[in-house]
Amino acid sequence: MIVHLAAMLMKASRAAPRGAFAVNAAATHSLLWASTQQGNRCFVLGSSVGVYGIPAPGSLVTETSPIGACTCYGAGKFSSELYCRCFSESFDLPYIALRLGTLYGDRLHADGFYAAHLLSLMDRLDESIIEVEGQPDEHYDFLYVGGAAEAVVQAVHHDVRDIELNVVSGRSVSWEEIVTTLLRAAGSETTVEWRSRNGDAWAVQRNFSGDLAREVLGFSPAVSLTEGLSRLVRWYPIHPRPSSLDQ
């Protein structure tokens, strides 16, 4: 059994696309080949909802929705899924690909796109006014990191194979609710001012179904957004800011 979660994150992948291919695609191929040589009977891949790219506004994204990866990160994740399918068909190596949603919580990786926003807010809680990139009516699916870990454990111990699963909260939450919930958890009364994002367009209207993961694995997130962000607030002041890494 191999559980493959390592990856170069989105911002780093954009800055170094060749390195992203080596880490996010070629390394997966190498691990799959090694699995066949060692006689492993299952491969669990940490994929991403980034494979869907920018979903149509108002759409509910399921595992049968069109693949529209439009970043080096998303393309690397989908190519890894394709390699999993290839090795299943050609070498009889079963797999489960977990399309993880936007993760948050304790030990946030400083290079994660949304993680960087949350950590930046945490760093400025004593300011009277905080500028936040984005618009309050953007919608995302935030999954507490402990839920993702639980899904991985369930996948390892489950008999189902050769499948892709959305591992998400199943709740589309506005950017405004996420920010205000974090500030409330921190006891901050700072004023938020919204400003347009810099750079390329992001998938700002995300609504994912987690029904198949619930049906297949029995996965159901146990930690609410309020509790998850409260855990982040309690953890952050007593731990150093995570180092900036490219993987």
Side-chain angles (χ1 to χ4, degrees):
M1 170 78 67
I2 285 184
V3 178
H4 178 31
L5 303 178
M8 183 180 286
L9 299 179
M10 186 167 66
K11 290 195 297 182
S13 295
R14 181 178 179 180
R18 289 181 65 86
F21 172 78
V23 173
N24 294 349
T28 302
H29 183 281
S30 297
L31 285 172
L32 286 164
W33 178 246
S35 293
T36 65
Q37 301 305 294
Q38 296 299 319
N40 289 316
R41 297 310 307 149
C42 185
F43 192 95
V44 178
L45 173 69
S47 188
S48 168
V49 294
V51 302
Y52 298 113
I54 301 177
S59 63
L60 178 65
V61 180
T62 71
E63 288 79 359
T64 60
S65 296
I67 298 299
C70 54
T71 64
C72 292
Y73 175 76
K77 287 298 186 181
F78 186 56
S79 66
S80 291
E81 291 186 9
L82 291 176
Y83 280 130
C84 284
R85 296 181 194 176
C86 168
F87 273 77
S88 175
E89 290 291 330
S90 301
F91 303 102
D92 194 28
L93 176 64
Y95 73 92
I96 300 179
L98 303 177
R99 292 174 176 168
L100 303 175
T102 300
L103 304 184
Y104 75 97
D106 319 354
R107 298 186 294 277
L108 275 173
H109 195 303
D111 278 354
F113 178 70
Y114 296 102
H117 282 286
L118 295 180
L119 293 177
S120 176
L121 284 173
M122 297 287 289
D123 287 337
R124 294 179 290 151
L125 290 175
D126 58 347
E127 299 178 12
S128 59
I129 298 176
I130 296 179
E131 281 194 347
V132 178
E133 281 192 17
Q135 298 303 315
D137 60 350
E138 297 173 1
H139 278 72
Y140 302 100
D141 186 301
F142 269 41
L143 176 68
Y144 182 66
V145 65
E150 178 184 351
V152 171
V153 172
Q154 290 174 333
V156 166
H157 293 288
H158 209 283
D159 291 335
V160 68
R161 297 293 183 259
D162 299 343
I163 194 170
E164 295 81 30
L165 300 171
N166 291 342
V167 177
V168 295
S169 73
R171 177 172 179 253
S172 185
V173 184
S174 72
W175 191 216
E176 181 176 35
E177 181 179 346
I178 293 166
V179 171
T180 56
T181 300
L182 176 65
L183 296 178
R184 189 182 307 116
S188 174
E189 298 182 356
T190 187
T191 298
V192 173
E193 291 188 353
W194 303 92
R195 64 181 175 87
S196 299
R197 296 190 186 280
N198 296 320
D200 297 337
W202 302 100
V204 296
Q205 297 296 331
R206 290 183 158 193
N207 186 17
F208 298 103
S209 170
D211 289 348
L212 188 58
R214 185 181 305 109
E215 175 186 337
V216 171
L217 299 180
F219 173 72
S220 181
V223 177
S224 68
L225 180 69
T226 299
E227 174 58 25
L229 290 175
S230 295
R231 292 183 185 184
L232 172 62
V233 168
R234 292 194 296 269
W235 168 82
Y236 188 60
I238 59 176
H239 291 81
R241 186 181 179 92
S243 300
S244 179
L245 301 174
D246 287 336
Q247 57 181 346

